Amino acid sequence: MGGVKLVATTQSFFCTRVQWALKLKGVEYEFIEEDLRNKSPILLKYNPVHKKVPVLVHHDTPIVESLVILEYIDETWKENPLLPQDPFDRAAARFWAKFADEKVVFGVWTACTAEGEGKEKAIEAALESLAHLERQIEGKKFFGGEQIGYLDLVLGWIPHWLNTMEEVGGMKLLEAERIEWALKHKGITYEYIEEDLRNKSTLLLKSNPVQKKIPVLLHGDKPVAESLVILEYIDETWREKPLLPDDPFEKEMVRFWTKYVDEKRFTEIPMIKESIPMKEDLLNYSRAQQNVK
Amino acid sequence: MSQVTVLGAWPSPYVYRVIWALKLKGVDYEYVEEDVLHNKSDRLLKYNPVHKKVPVLVHAGKPIAESAVILEYIEETWPQNPLLPKDPHQRALARFWIKFGEDKSAALFGFFMTEGEQQEKATKEGQEQLRILEEQGLGEKMFFGGDEIGMADLEFGWLAWWLDVMSEIAGVKVIDAESFPRLHAWIQRFKDISAIKEPLPDRSAMLTYFKGRRATFLALAKS
């Protein structure tokens, strides 16, 4: 039987990346929801070694490990190739996928679940590994170029899940967190004004009339908007302990990454969007995971 | 033919995976030794800025890091004497076991980094993983790759030469012919292949080097 089954959960982004790959290639599949607190005989039969999701079942044979599944899908269904053609570019994509899964996922998770000084360190490390990834999207619409590819699917969790993990973990790795970290790093005292984005304050609308977005830095009565512009402003106004890389190329990378996540290019793609779990679901799942740890 | 260079460190089993793959495919390469413990070269830092580790393969001036990624690159660039089967499902299985080897590294090497009661526990854990590897990864096959060696065999190649040295130094027997008959038989077959055997490092040099490493690990654990 040529039927394709996917044993998975809706909340795990390791599973979602496989769904995206199948959809991109127009492969019909049966989604079998797994309850990880009560593992089914199917899961235990198909993945006896690790007992984890996702598991792709094709011709009644299982394939496990999300990155291995992506390679299998790319080799079995040739339309809309996920990996680039050139061997060196393929190697680069695989390298960054491995890096992302080993360092970034773990780093962000630690930043989310750690406390106190450990949390500070973890956030710094996570920011550093995100910075490495930033350089990889330089000058491109997606990691895969003009079209989304393997690395976009692997990193696809970042725009959506990151927000959830940040909320659960009580930290922000992008935007406002960076600004706060920058101010603390330079020893600058500041007042934090919480904004309700569904009911924007007069202060916000006056300070950032063009975009009406946060974060906004108010220095005296001077407003500065756009997180990178704010960082540059902070660096120029308070000169000790410089923040931004000197190198203009590196600075450009930091800017580009912020744009990529901020502009939601990836998550607005309909096929991608429809497989993203509801935020409430994800929040509950992430909180449960945190308790398990 | 573009220049192929391997940045490596002679004691590292990860480096040999790359060397074996190149030799099996008859690819000429230049080998450059890196002093990774004490004095990483500018070249290494330039070619692997993210991890600063070996092995690194440099082909036509472009660097590739991470042994598993390098093996895939070698396979795609020099298709002769394939290291992966043609069938996608078999390829997926080979990649699965390679990942298994990487994920279980800590468990497999645990016996070497510990002593006393901790070592007993670590050895058992390592043996559990090796049991899974032997029964489900190797099974009744001649090699992990089937009748011929493949990428997964290279991943576990360290079992054929490094494990013995490390076991001797650590004073534990991790595997032997009675407890792991199939793995043991595979080790003999694997070591017999000339491309595998030829570059293997000198055993007494390894004893000296790894004795030092174990001392360092144990000291670190105490501090």
Side-chain angles (χ1 to χ4, degrees), chain A residues 12-83:
Chain A
S12 157
F13 55 76
F14 295 106
C15 296
T16 313
R17 59 171 69 143
V18 175
Q19 287 202 72
W20 286 333
L22 293 168
K23 284 183 199 277
L24 260 174
K25 298 207 176 236
V27 178
E28 305 239 333
Y29 63 97
E30 183 194 345
F31 184 89
I32 300 173
E33 180 99 37
E34 185 65 35
D35 179 0
L36 293 175
R37 293 158 305 177
N38 190 14
K39 295 180 182 182
S40 71
I42 291 180
L43 180 62
L44 301 176
K45 169 180 146 191
Y46 283 138
N47 191 0
V49 175
H50 298 303
K51 308 177 181 60
K52 283 176 169 176
V53 291
V55 182
L56 187 79
V57 185
H58 189 212
H59 299 303
D60 272 323
T61 359
I63 300 111
V64 302
E65 292 289 344
S66 66
L67 295 184
V68 176
I69 297 173
L70 290 184
E71 299 252 9
Y72 176 85
I73 291 172
D74 217 21
E75 288 173 1
T76 308
W77 294 280
K78 302 284 183 185
E79 44 289 287
N80 295 339
L82 301 173
L83 280 165

Side-chain angles (χ1 to χ4, degrees), chain A residues 64 75 88 90-91 94 98, chain B residues 63 66 76 91 95-96:
Chain A
V64 302
E75 288 173 1
F88 182 77
R90 291 162 78 87
R94 286 174 177 135
K98 208 164 182 289
Chain B
E66 290 287 331
E76 288 172 359
R91 291 162 79 89
R95 289 175 174 133
F96 172 83

Side-chain angles (χ1 to χ4, degrees), chain B residues 12-22 67-68 71 74 101-102 154-158:
Chain B
S12 161
Y14 302 94
V15 170
Y16 290 83
R17 291 174 190 160
V18 175
I19 290 175
W20 287 327
L22 293 170
S67 62
L71 289 181
I74 291 173
E102 299 189 331
L154 303 190
E155 168 73 25
F156 294 106
W158 69 274

Side-chain angles (χ1 to χ4, degrees), chain A residues 48-50 61-65 68 71-72 75-76 86-88 90-91 94-96 98-99 103 132, chain B residues 50-51 62-66 69 72-73 76-77 88-89 91-92 95-97 99-100 102-104 132 136:
Chain A
V49 175
H50 298 303
T61 359
I63 300 111
V64 302
E65 292 289 344
V68 176
E71 299 252 9
Y72 176 85
E75 288 173 1
T76 308
D86 174 71
F88 182 77
R90 291 162 78 87
R94 286 174 177 135
F95 174 89
W96 289 110
K98 208 164 182 289
F99 174 79
K103 295 267 193 277
H132 278 299
Chain B
V50 176
H51 299 300
K62 292 196 278 194
I64 301 121
E66 290 287 331
V69 177
E72 296 263 6
Y73 177 84
E76 288 172 359
T77 308
H89 181 245
R91 291 162 79 89
R95 289 175 174 133
F96 172 83
W97 289 107
K99 188 154 199 298
F100 179 86
E102 299 189 331
D103 289 346
K104 302 295 176 185
I132 294 173
Q136 302 196 40

